Amino acid sequence: MEKEVIVATKNKGKVKEFSQLLSKEGVVVKSLLDYPEIPDIIEDGQTFTENAAKKAETIAEKFNSTVIADDSGLIVDALGGKPGVFSARYAGEEKDDIANMEKVLNQLLDLPDSDRTARFYCAIAVAIPNSETRIYEGACEGYITREPRGKNGFGYDPIMYIPEKEKTMAELAADEKNKISHRSKALKALLSEREEIFRS
């Protein structure tokens, strides 16, 4: 029998990635897009882990079922770790991928390639009723390009260059991205405990 899990996000890109990664495990993904009456959860944590846990626990309590939530973003060394937890709204309260990328590129304008190191980081929280919330982490290292490249993915993918692939995240096909991404690495750690998490 297929198992169903709620992913606490309204981000279509994330829903698509989680669905691609979890469908192989026989897990059907529902998201907050399926429950439009639920308001956005305020992400006021100081860390990715705090935000992921808050989202997962809030929705798990509401539905009394297992809920997965992630908080992820871009960490740029030359910017002291920014955008960090503010990645989605780096250029303003409205989530605007293009404006966010432009802000990062402008801030790095004069930096040589060697100083443009960055990573995508992901914390996934799994909230299980009557159980302690579990946290799984993943990261993907790279460099910030000088201009966006590629049409795939979402967020900062077009400006995140992955040296081992010689492409930006947005130039990778979905299955390529899903092998190396921060989210897939965190999810791989989660799936190592799948029996406990998805038990009926």
Side-chain angles (χ1 to χ4, degrees):
M1 190 173 117
E2 285 187 323
K3 294 179 173 63
E4 189 175 279
V5 70
I6 297 171
V7 176
T9 185
K10 292 183 180 179
N11 181 313
K12 290 178 182 176
K14 286 186 182 182
V15 173
K16 186 177 178 183
E17 280 189 16
F18 272 112
S19 295
Q20 288 169 337
L21 292 161
L22 285 171
S23 64
K24 297 169 187 170
E25 304 296 324
V27 177
V28 176
V29 168
K30 297 199 85 170
S31 76
L32 297 186
L33 293 170
D34 297 303
Y35 304 98
E37 71 280 5
I38 295 177
D40 286 339
I41 297 161
I42 305 299
E43 297 178 39
D44 52 6
Q46 298 300 303
T47 66
F48 292 108
T49 300
E50 287 176 14
N51 283 334
K54 180 180 180 181
K55 288 187 281 189
E57 289 165 2
T58 301
I59 302 302
E61 191 175 334
K62 185 171 183 66
F63 288 96
N64 193 34
S65 65
T66 299
V67 173
I68 294 174
D70 92 316
D71 196 33
S72 51
L74 179 67
I75 296 170
V76 180
D77 294 320
L79 300 179
K82 292 177 181 176
V85 292
F86 304 107
S87 290
R89 295 180 174 86
Y90 194 46
E93 268 311 299
E94 289 298 314
K95 296 180 180 179
D96 185 330
D97 289 349
I98 292 172
N100 288 337
M101 284 191 287
E102 284 177 352
K103 182 171 180 179
V104 169
L105 291 176
N106 286 335
Q107 289 179 317
L108 300 180
L109 211 51
D110 300 323
L111 281 185
D113 292 348
S114 57
D115 292 338
R116 301 171 76 91
T117 52
R119 69 204 49 80
F120 278 136
Y121 172 86
C122 174
I124 293 179
V126 182
I128 304 169
N130 306 313
S131 184
E132 196 171 326
T133 298
R134 300 162 184 252
I135 302 291
Y136 304 91
E137 300 169 283
C140 181
E141 303 284 335
Y143 292 85
I144 302 300
T145 58
R146 297 189 178 276
E147 58 186 27
R149 285 167 33 190
K151 300 293 183 188
N152 302 327
F154 62 99
Y156 295 92
D157 285 355
I159 62 170
M160 181 63 162
Y161 179 78
I162 310 301
E164 73 222 52
K165 294 291 183 181
E166 298 183 342
K167 293 178 181 178
T168 67
M169 276 287 210
E171 291 176 309
L172 296 175
D175 59 337
E176 281 185 289
K177 179 183 177 182
N178 288 339
K179 285 175 186 168
I180 64 158
S181 77
H182 51 309
R183 193 166 292 108
S184 68
K185 289 175 183 175
L187 202 53
K188 190 175 179 182
L190 181 162
L191 290 172
S192 69
E193 299 179 358
R194 64 168 73 76
E195 295 304 323
E196 295 169 62
I197 292 169
F198 297 120
R199 63 174 177 258
S200 299

